[in-house]
Structures are given as C-alpha cells and as structure tokens.
Amino acid sequence: MLCFKLSGVKTANQDIQIDLKESLRMALIGFTLHGPLVYSSFRWVDKSVGAQSRSFLTAAKVAAISQVTFFPVYSTAFFTYVGLLEGLSLQQCKEKVIAAVPPTILTGTAFWPAVTVINFMYVPPAGRVLYVNAAGLFWNAWLSYENAVENAAHLETEKNGNTSSSKKE
C-alpha cells in the first residue's frame, strides 16, 4: 500500500487504488510462506555455515548462499502463490514467474545481500528473523508494487486487444 502511494503509478489515467484483497493476499503470503520459509532457511544456514561467528567473511558467505539457494526458491514460490490466489491458471502462473522472477532477483541482489550481511554480523541469532521480517516489510511492499504493475500492464494489454489469446494467426 505504501509503495503504491509513494510511486504514483497510474493505470488508465487513474491512481492505483489500495486493494483490500491484495493486502489480505500479502498478509496470507507473509504468514504461510514468508515467515515459515525465512525461519527454516535461517535455522538451516545457522547449522550448516556456523553462522554464530560475526565476521564479515561468514556474513558474506551466508549472503551468497541465501542469494543462490533461498532467494530464487522464495521468488518463484511467491509469484506462483500470488498468481494462484489471484485465480490464475497454472500456465498463467508459469508465465507470471517467467516474467517476474528475473527482475525480482536482479532487484533483490541489490537489497538482500546488504540486509543479510548486517543481520549476520550485528544481530544476535534470536533476533535475526525479526530483523529480516522488518526488512521484509519493505521488500514485500516492493513485490506488491511489482505485482500491481505487472497486473496493470496485463490489463492494459487486454483492454487494447493485444493478448495472444485474442490474436488470430
């Protein structure tokens, strides 16, 4: 919601309105996907990397492992989950993932490694999930924004009659 207001994105010459359904979808995703997956991944990283060390090298190793393993899985699951909650077919979800995951990973590469290094260098293990969830508020606002822009572009394309299903070749 915050991202919509700050960005000034417009669709069909109108401001994007705050959508209660979208807000509830994001809350559901936070409780059922984001929270459990972050918690589980941090437990795994703590055990496998020995992340109790607060050195930069350990924190950078955790950031690299998270970026290569956790982040692509989470991004794919997120956009699939959003698509299913929006009533998309599995094929449409696949198309959404193909369109949205690469730019999301690119953007996330600028955001999450810094968050992860700070987390594993300065935050005690008991507070790491809370810290990441706070950072996740901003990240999820960004994902919600990206999803809304993608949906607005899709609706605009359909409105103009330029969908692949309406083309007869």
Side-chain angles (χ1 to χ4, degrees), residues 16-108:
I16 292 178
Q17 301 297 314
I18 294 173
D19 183 349
L20 182 59
K21 285 182 182 179
E22 173 73 9
S23 299
L24 291 173
R25 275 193 296 267
M26 292 302 289
L28 180 64
I29 289 168
F31 284 119
T32 61
L33 175 69
H34 182 78
L37 199 54
V38 168
Y39 176 76
S40 299
S41 70
F42 275 13
R43 286 180 56 116
W44 174 75
V45 166
D46 275 342
K47 287 178 184 176
S48 61
V49 177
Q52 290 74 23
S53 167
R54 293 182 178 218
S55 72
F56 176 77
L57 184 60
T58 299
K61 186 192 268 187
V62 169
I65 290 169
S66 296
Q67 200 65 26
V68 171
T69 60
F70 168 74
F71 194 53
V73 170
Y74 174 78
S75 299
T76 301
F78 173 83
F79 284 108
T80 302
Y81 199 2
V82 167
L84 292 172
L85 290 174
E86 290 172 342
L88 299 181
S89 69
L90 289 177
Q91 180 60 35
Q92 290 169 317
C93 288
K94 180 181 175 185
E95 292 168 7
K96 181 184 214 64
V97 165
I98 289 169
V101 168
T104 299
I105 289 176
L106 186 61
T107 303

Side-chain angles (χ1 to χ4, degrees), residues 121-157:
M121 283 185 71
Y122 301 110
V123 179
R128 288 180 180 159
V129 172
L130 180 61
Y131 170 79
V132 162
N133 284 337
L137 287 173
F138 294 100
W139 180 250
N140 286 336
W142 177 255
L143 288 178
S144 182
Y145 164 76
E146 282 188 348
N147 189 58
V149 169
E150 174 78 23
N151 287 346
H154 181 71
L155 288 173
E156 192 66 29
T157 301

